[in-house]
Amino acid sequence: MTDDLSGIDVLVVGGGNAAMAAALSAREVGASVLVLESAPKDFRAGNSRHTRDLRCMHDAPTNVMAGAYTEDEFYKDIQSVTGGQTNEQLARMTIRASATCTEWMKRQGVRFQRALGGTLQLGRTNAFFLGGGKAMMNAYYDQAERVGIRVVYNAEVVDLKVEDGKFESATAMVAGKPVEVRAKVVVAASGGFEANLDWLKEAWGPEADNFLIRGTPYNKGKVLKKLLENGVESVGEAKQGHMVAIDARAPKFDGGIVTRLDCVSLGIVVNRNGDRFYDEGEDFWPKRYAIWGRLVANQPEQIGYCIIDSKAMGKFMPSVFPPDTAQNIGELAKILKLPVEKVVATVKAYNDAVQLGTFNHDVLDDCKTSGLDPEKTHWALRIDKPPFYAYGLRPGLTFTYLGLKVDEHARAQMKGGKGARNIFAAGEIMVGNILGKGYTAGIGVTIGTVFGRIAGREAASQALHPVETRKDTKVEEFVHAAD
Ligand SMILES: Cc1cc2nc3c(=O)[nH]c(=O)nc-3n(C[C@H](O)[C@H](O)[C@H](O)COP(=O)(O)OP(=O)(O)OC[C@H]3O[C@@H](n4cnc5c(N)ncnc54)[C@H](O)[C@@H]3O)c2cc1C
């Protein structure tokens, strides 16, 4: 970091997918780019290094996705998970731009798997990275090095100088010392505030102590907070986010994808009191897994227990830790330190209410309960074949939705309705523009890639061409023109 830091066109804060998409896009059109990443090199790339896939619109099969996934179907999925809490213009723009993402990523060196089938049924809608998110991010960083983007690790931005919507400089702590970095334009791509336990507690209260953070410990929301304090309009609510029910034994941070449990729709879930509290078979798991963290967060002591029997074994992705197991439900409840009689009664009531149908985990089948509160509406089979198994579930926070309001150029919007003069945002830090709540698998990377590319190109265009001479680009033309 001691080298010359003057003459930077575009400063990118963050080192994940959104940041590197912005950095590479800004560099593509000739801007000089500096990336400040708060993590050390070995832990670079935030939550993006944990990802596996992104969701893309396509009108016909591609070499990485099966079938077709139209704009309207994609938008319907967003509407359904958000309950309409989305900005339709930005959401549709994101969807249309998603059609070009995989080809752009391939040009940066990212490799994809062939279209998948399998348990998550995502082979049609989502493209999977070969080697996962870590390989995807390594490809971006290799490309960044090839094209001359400077990256500084262990460089946490702790302050920003912003005057009247104009970014002047950022202060980063590098090797324990504050360093002021000036640039013509800044792209904020530093994630949400999911790793800031104090901020989570402010939003959730003491319950937040029982949350596990699935990803990076470096997303503390410092840049987000500074920009909000400097008059950028906020979007979304602090309590909204992507929260999954994960193995209660997962580490506090960075447990990643392997701590997820995909057995909920095959069994029942009880709380600390031994009561069921939600329809475990409401919809396909990829459409429901992201609500279960919040459901568990609202239970006593923020814990749930998924109970299955041996019929369910082998029908979901294997867990990283083995389940607790017993030959009968009472024994299992004892191991879990749950009220034994209550759990036995809950399982019996469930079994008695099951209406036998034709079990098929690949469709919304007709196996359901009748007369139970709450009902289980699909994949309801009696829990009656020993051995029985259970997993403790905790809320696993993936990322938060409170963020910066942006327009379709990824430009941060100031309170009062004016666009910030030289501040752009991409990724988790602005995801709340599209996701007011809920989640559909793969859209985090889609939003980061689309807005990262837009932010990078807009930022470069602004840095390289004075406002008076700049042609106002129509974003949709511009996104397609990039491919
Ligand atoms: C386990 C797991 C699995 C996931 N799987 C998927 C998936 O398959 N598909 C999908 O679409 N989404 C997935 N997500 C969500 C996805 O990770 C995010 O939506 C997306 O990657 C966010 O990209 P980002 O660049 O905005 O943030 P991040 O990738 O988190 O990057 C933020 C970066 O900012 C840096 N940073 C933070 N604060 C500062 C600061 N003050 N100064 C400097 N740098 C800072 C961090 O170190 C980090 O590098 C998953 C998340 C997790 C945790």
Side-chain angles (χ1 to χ4, degrees):
M1 182 73 178
T2 47
D3 58 347
D4 180 18
L5 288 179
S6 59
I8 296 159
D9 293 321
V10 178
L11 170 64
V12 177
V13 184
N17 171 60
M20 296 312 286
L24 290 163
S25 300
R27 190 76 194 111
E28 271 178 349
V29 288
S32 62
V33 181
L34 173 70
V35 173
L36 294 180
E37 157 65 301
S38 63
K41 188 172 180 184
D42 287 350
F43 289 94
R44 70 185 182 191
N47 289 337
S48 301
R49 74 197 200 290
H50 287 298
T51 63
R52 300 179 306 155
D53 59 272
L54 83 165
R55 180 171 289 254
C56 298
M57 168 187 140
H58 51 107
D59 291 325
T62 74
N63 55 359
V64 295
M65 282 168 290
Y69 188 43
T70 63
E71 176 182 336
D72 282 341
E73 186 185 354
F74 195 157
Y75 184 63
K76 227 182 260 166
D77 285 339
I78 292 179
Q79 257 202 325
S80 129
V81 295
T82 60
Q85 288 182 39
T86 185
N87 175 322
E88 179 166 357
Q89 188 208 357
L90 294 185
R92 284 194 179 272
M93 186 203 81
T94 305
I95 292 169
R96 287 196 284 271
S98 75
T100 66
C101 283
T102 57
E103 287 306 313
W104 181 83
M105 292 169 99
K106 282 187 204 165
R107 286 209 297 279
Q108 312 309 317
V110 176
R111 297 176 66 199
F112 288 88
Q113 298 180 28
R114 292 198 171 282
L116 289 182
T119 50
L120 283 176
Q121 304 132 342
L122 290 175
R124 181 172 69 87
T125 55
N126 290 31
F128 281 72
F129 314 124
L130 191 66
K134 182 106 179 163
M136 183 260 289
M137 291 307 304
N138 285 344
Y140 276 162
Y141 276 96
D142 286 350
Q143 176 73 348
E145 197 175 332
R146 277 193 293 274
V147 299
I149 292 170
R150 282 186 288 175
V151 179
V152 181
Y153 299 105
N154 288 306
E156 183 186 27
V157 171
V158 291
D159 204 2
L160 296 171
K161 203 178 278 173
V162 177
E163 272 157 31
D164 195 21
K166 182 167 186 291
F167 164 80
E168 301 285 349
S169 67
T171 303
M173 292 305 290
V174 184
K177 290 202 186 105
V179 178
E180 191 179 22
V181 181
R182 299 189 156 269
K184 293 180 187 157
V185 186
V186 68
V187 177
S190 46
F193 66 90
E194 54 274 0
N196 185 329
L197 304 181
D198 291 335
W199 198 343
L200 293 180
K201 256 172 143 168
E202 258 173 55
W204 281 86
E207 289 89 335
D209 280 338
N210 287 325
F211 295 178
L212 303 172
I213 316 304
R214 300 176 68 214
T216 180
Y218 294 96
N219 286 0
K220 294 185 188 301
K222 286 194 183 166
V223 171
L224 168 62
K225 192 162 249 171
K226 288 288 165 199
L227 288 170
L228 294 177
E229 283 168 4
N230 277 287
V232 175
E233 184 76 84
S234 71
V235 71
E237 290 167 23
K239 273 180 86 169
Q240 286 298 342
H242 179 281
M243 203 190 268
V244 186
I246 60 171
D247 197 309
R249 297 161 291 183
K252 186 71 180 173
F253 293 102
D254 253 347
I257 191 75
V258 295
T259 62
R260 208 172 96 186
L261 288 169
D262 292 336
C263 51
V264 165
S265 62
L266 292 162
I268 61 168
V269 180
V270 299
N271 63 18
R272 198 98 202 83
N273 305 329
D275 292 316
R276 285 179 64 243
F277 50 89
Y278 199 80
D279 176 2
E280 300 87 351
E282 190 175 47
D283 205 339
F284 291 114
W285 188 236
K287 292 190 181 172
R288 280 296 166 274
Y289 74 97
I291 69 167
W292 272 86
R294 181 168 296 272
L295 291 170
V296 173
N298 288 326
Q299 297 307 307
E301 296 173 43
Q302 296 70 55
I303 192 151
Y305 300 86
C306 181
I307 298 175
I308 53 180
D309 71 4
S310 56
K311 297 196 293 298
M313 277 304 179
K315 293 198 172 70
F316 59 95
M317 219 146 20
S319 57
V320 66
F321 304 119
D324 287 311
T325 182
Q327 286 302 320
N328 63 63
I329 295 294
E331 264 311 299
L332 192 63
K334 211 187 282 170
I335 292 169
L336 300 172
K337 300 192 173 62
L338 293 177
V340 172
E341 280 174 24
K342 188 62 187 288
V343 174
V344 169
T346 298
V347 172
K348 180 174 185 316
Y350 165 78
N351 283 345
D352 290 348
V354 167
Q355 310 291 299
L356 289 185
T358 307
F359 178 84
N360 183 346
H361 209 204
D362 293 329
V363 299
L364 294 171
D365 74 4
D366 60 351
C367 295
K368 56 185 182 204
T369 59
S370 173
L372 211 57
D373 183 22
E375 300 284 12
K376 180 170 178 185
T377 51
H378 304 98
W379 312 300
L381 293 180
R382 290 194 181 118
I383 298 174
D384 59 2
K385 189 166 177 224
F388 300 95
Y389 301 94
Y391 292 96
L393 302 172
R394 285 275 185 208
L397 181 59
T398 317
F399 59 98
T400 47
Y401 290 179
L402 171 75
L404 307 175
K405 188 168 182 193
V406 296
D407 67 6
E408 73 273 24
H409 299 276
R411 186 182 292 278
Q413 300 298 292
M414 303 303 291
K415 286 189 187 114
K418 265 177 40 185
R421 283 157 71 187
N422 57 353
I423 304 170
F424 295 84
E428 280 176 14
I429 199 167
M430 48 63 63
V431 82
N433 289 271
I434 292 167
L435 300 175
K437 63 172 188 172
Y439 189 76
T440 181
I443 201 169
V445 172
T446 304
I447 293 170
T449 311
V450 168
F451 276 87
R453 291 175 63 198
I454 293 173
R457 294 186 63 112
E458 290 278 332
S461 158
Q462 173 155 346
L464 297 174
H465 308 292
V467 179
E468 313 81 64
T469 62
R470 205 155 14 105
K471 215 173 89 210
D472 201 16
T473 37
K474 281 221 166 49
V475 166
E476 293 200 11
E477 283 169 18
F478 151 99
V479 166
H480 290 288
D483 283 280

